[in-house]
Amino acid sequence: MVMISGAKALAESLRREDVKHLFGITGGAIMNLMHKLWEYGEAEEIRMITCRHEQCAAHAAEGYAVASGDVGVCFATSGPGATNLVTGIADAFLDSRPIVAITGQVPTSLVGNDAFQEADIIGATMPMTKANFQFHRVKDIPLLTKMAFKIAKTGRPGPVLLDFPKNVQIGEEHVEFPDGEIEIPGYNPTLKGHPRQIKRIAKVLKKAERPIMIAGGGTISSMANNEVLELAEMLGIPIINTLMGKGIIPETHPLSLGMAGMHGHMCANSVMNQADLLFAVGMRFSDRITGKLEHFAREATIIHLDIDSAEIGKNVGVHYPIVGDARIVLRQIVEELKKLEVTKPNGWMQKIKQLKEKCQCNIPLTDIQPIKPQQVMRILREHIDSKTIVTTGVGRNQMWAAHYLRVYGPRKFVTSGGLGTMGFGFPAAIGAKVAKPDHWVVDVDGDGSFLMTQQELAASVIEDIPVTVIILNDQALGMVRQWQNLFFEERYAVTDLGPKDFKKRVPDFAKLAEAFGANGILVERVSEIGPAIKEAKDSDVTTVIDVQIDRSENIYPHMPSGAKLEEIIPCPSWMEAE
Amino acid sequence: MARINSGNGKEAGTVGSHIITFLVEDRPGVFAKVTGLIRRRNFNIAKITVGPTHIEKVTRMTFLIKADEATLEQVVKQLNKMVEVLRITELKPKDCVIRELALIKINTSDQQERNEAMQFSNIFRGNILDLSPTSLTVEITGDSQKIDAFLELTKRFGIIEVARTGVTALARGSDPRPRGVDLMKLLEYE
């Protein structure tokens, strides 16, 4: 037992959790913690990275968490600092990313008195955290911190918030640091699948004639890539991924059908309602995947594997539910299948091959103006290697990236799927780069999206965290514009971001980047794309490439919101192939 | 083979009353978390009872909820995810004992009516807790139907005020699920 302050107790607890980086902004109600963490900074054990907006600190922690597989940590002061974190926390909650958020709080004696910079962050984040705790006694800090990290990273990962009143930071008490694992009575995620259910599922899988597997974000967070691939190859099951499951198997693999959903690949979408067996792994049947639920996979027997039992049966009724960790349960199923004699459904695999051939959209790189976003993606694709991490903004840019780019492994595609948070891409890229300094991190962003978090150019330059930003600049809130184009009588209400005559660039992103000491490149011709990307990749400072793209180019397919899967508007190339 | 759980996409099932009872750690904010979750997920709670148990720092909450089977399952699963929720069970009416308590203040200015009200109270095994020249307050304990019946009978006298608790319930027999909670070591923090 040692007599230490609350701030020191948390700083030491973070070190013991092996935290290497924190993202945030300090302030009156959290500075005592930073004061103690300074010592760990001097010893080069923990690095504090100053962001320019707390929302970005949370997104950076998310990017860090995905890229590294560890818990990302962010901090903010009380009141506005804490409330600014909320968007990032909600984002992490919907996409199940493990982060721990630490907020300062006014002294306990003032809590509830509407003190200066007081906000009820515990109340505000209750519905969007896995758990949240306010420290009341210094001696509780080591235990609660340990609980926070355990809850954030185990089971279905998610955000945990620790609220730290100023007087508890300053106060000194005798403190003991718990050793080893702790048992939390009300928290015990199921990891292993029920053996009898495994046997049943193995039999059903063996029997299926037209099976498909949908791999979601859960396969990535449990790192089930080897198991997914092994099962797929063993049974000849084609793999569809959700947006969050991108990268679970190499998209060049013959069994990979790409992404399903509103803007997914036609081959993936068309196959969902043809299958007789649908094996859903670590995904939650979001409305962006299923379309109108009554018409989704009517013919199919559904197996649903998820670590969160509340996800099973929430949106779609299932025949074979199984709760557990994707990697562990898939391994169990593979072992069970090895005992059975399995054959691959040849006719089905032939069909899959045909569908894949039909689903080729390779836009020519002819010099047209304005540039087509598909051209940018095609060129960028050539520069992406096995180590590249791609992050995205939200909107059409995100869907261009998800649809056209290939990433080579799990934790290589970082995007805001559930909450759809514009501005996510750039701070997430910064977080990912901090986690993987040797990897090239490229943020495919939109002009609207990037402008929401562009101030982090300061953080990336000052803290020396170089990333590449490629802005697909259509001077519009492109996704909404696309909806207006297709479903709202082409009435473009409040989606224009540029001046009416297009004579000025507002902003000039290249100049904006330069104002922050970053590198800015304006791209207006197809031939300039490749060299710009190469320059950015080789640069040791953050580079913003502003690509002027054709705003009238829509992303297809497009499944109208609430429509049946069959009512999807396909890509032009798919229609030609038909 | 029928699909398990109906899910949102299927037709909503029949809405019925269900009792769920669960043990939670007695910590600040837990009740707010529970009710917040109920609100956020659009669940509909008809009656709530909360009280301590024989185990230190463990509170029992009992909800009567109106829901179809699929919604009920979501309520149970979502509550079960809360770190502070230790055990949760649905109690089927035939397998449990259920009690609710009501205090009913009846207008009894009329001598005849006062006598009748006291008779009814006796038949319902009520306790008369308070008497005044013009009113009497009865305590009735039982299931909800019994209390409803008493209110129906006495309404012609004029009911001045009613205070009802929610329902509380325990499983019948000696299979005491939730077992093991006594032995469970709760973590110590405030």
Side-chain angles (χ1 to χ4, degrees), chain A residues 448-470:
Chain A
S449 219
F450 180 70
L451 210 50
M452 288 194 177
T453 49
Q454 43 71 33
Q455 77 285 344
E456 298 308 318
L457 281 166
S460 96
V461 170
I462 305 259
E463 301 274 352
D464 193 19
I465 309 164
V467 299
T468 299
V469 180
I470 299 177

Side-chain angles (χ1 to χ4, degrees), chain A residues 7 9 58 101 103 108 138 170 222 243 272 305 343 363 389 441 487 502:
Chain A
T103 51
T108 322
V138 173
I170 298 166
S222 78
L243 177 67
M272 275 198 292
L305 157 59
T343 49
I363 192 165
I389 297 172
V441 181
F487 315 118
F502 287 96

Side-chain angles (χ1 to χ4, degrees), chain A residues 120-354:
Chain A
D120 174 17
I121 198 65
I122 290 287
T125 57
M126 264 180 198
M128 55 191 75
T129 46
K130 265 187 96 177
N132 60 17
F133 305 103
Q134 190 173 60
F135 296 135
H136 297 130
R137 303 186 305 195
V138 173
K139 65 176 176 186
D140 296 337
I141 291 171
L143 176 68
L144 285 170
T145 311
K146 214 164 171 136
M147 284 172 69
F149 277 80
K150 178 171 179 175
I151 292 168
K153 70 185 169 197
T154 58
R156 178 182 183 170
V160 178
L161 180 130
L162 296 171
D163 196 28
F164 204 176
K166 175 115 174 159
N167 60 310
V168 187
Q169 294 175 43
I170 298 166
E172 293 195 355
E173 279 176 37
H174 285 290
V175 168
E176 209 170 347
F177 291 91
D179 281 327
E181 280 291 300
I182 44 159
E183 294 282 326
I184 306 170
Y187 181 78
N188 190 17
T190 308
L191 301 178
K192 267 186 84 174
H194 193 283
R196 241 191 345 238
Q197 195 71 337
I198 298 281
K199 279 202 166 66
R200 279 192 206 116
I201 288 170
K203 276 199 198 115
V204 176
L205 282 168
K206 176 180 142 58
K207 233 176 42 196
E209 284 167 15
R210 302 184 310 279
I212 53 167
M213 191 197 287
I214 309 184
T219 58
I220 305 257
S221 41
S222 78
M223 291 300 273
N225 43 323
N226 292 333
E227 285 71 15
V228 168
L229 194 61
E230 196 174 336
L231 190 68
E233 286 179 343
M234 198 170 174
L235 291 169
I237 298 192
I239 309 290
I240 293 172
N241 59 269
T242 67
L243 177 67
M244 302 314 292
K246 193 173 168 68
I248 189 61
I249 71 166
E251 286 165 273
T252 42
H253 193 282
L255 284 170
S256 168
L257 280 176
M259 179 175 74
M262 190 173 260
H263 303 287
H265 294 104
M266 278 311 292
C267 53
N269 282 324
S270 68
V271 95
M272 275 198 292
N273 278 356
Q274 295 177 31
D276 68 343
L277 178 83
L278 206 150
F279 187 12
V281 185
M283 56 86 78
R284 59 189 173 91
F285 292 105
S286 120
D287 53 286
R288 257 43 183 171
I289 290 282
T290 61
K292 202 169 190 162
L293 279 169
E294 291 88 331
H295 299 273
F296 177 72
R298 288 172 305 266
E299 309 289 312
T301 300
I302 299 180
I303 307 170
H304 191 184
L305 157 59
D306 204 282
I307 197 158
D308 179 358
S309 71
E311 286 304 338
I312 292 173
K314 191 180 80 176
N315 295 334
V316 169
V318 297
H319 303 89
Y320 296 93
I322 184 156
V323 178
D325 174 85
R327 188 169 56 82
I328 295 171
V329 175
L330 288 178
R331 174 57 55 202
Q332 285 176 283
I333 294 173
V334 166
E335 293 310 318
E336 186 62 34
L337 280 165
K338 280 182 186 164
K339 297 183 206 155
L340 308 172
E341 237 172 79
V342 289
T343 49
K344 293 178 188 177
N346 267 328
W348 181 237
M349 289 178 75
Q350 210 51 40
K351 167 107 189 160
I352 297 296
K353 201 169 159 237
Q354 284 166 6

Side-chain angles (χ1 to χ4, degrees), chain A residues 93 126-127 131-134 136-137 140 143-144 147 151 156 183-186 293-294 297-298 300 302 308-310 312-315 317-321, chain B residues 1-10 25 28-29 32-33 39-41 73-74 77-78 80-87 184-190:
Chain A
F93 188 62
M126 264 180 198
N132 60 17
F133 305 103
Q134 190 173 60
H136 297 130
R137 303 186 305 195
D140 296 337
L143 176 68
L144 285 170
M147 284 172 69
I151 292 168
R156 178 182 183 170
E183 294 282 326
I184 306 170
L293 279 169
E294 291 88 331
R298 288 172 305 266
I302 299 180
D308 179 358
S309 71
I312 292 173
K314 191 180 80 176
N315 295 334
V318 297
H319 303 89
Y320 296 93
Chain B
M1 182 182 173
R3 289 189 182 181
I4 297 167
N5 317 330
S6 56
N8 283 340
K10 308 290 165 292
E25 293 188 53
K33 262 186 206 178
R39 177 198 56 75
R40 180 167 86 86
R41 301 263 175 198
E73 189 179 319
Q74 271 296 305
K77 283 174 166 178
Q78 294 293 350
N80 205 16
K81 277 208 280 185
M82 271 182 55
V83 173
E84 295 87 349
V85 172
L86 301 169
R87 290 280 193 283
M184 191 177 277
K185 200 174 167 306
L186 297 187
L187 294 168
E188 223 175 287
Y189 61 88
E190 271 180 10

Side-chain angles (χ1 to χ4, degrees), chain B residues 117-128:
Chain B
M118 286 167 73
Q119 268 179 23
F120 289 155
S121 167
N122 277 338
I123 294 165
F124 277 75
R125 297 176 197 220
N127 286 324
I128 293 168

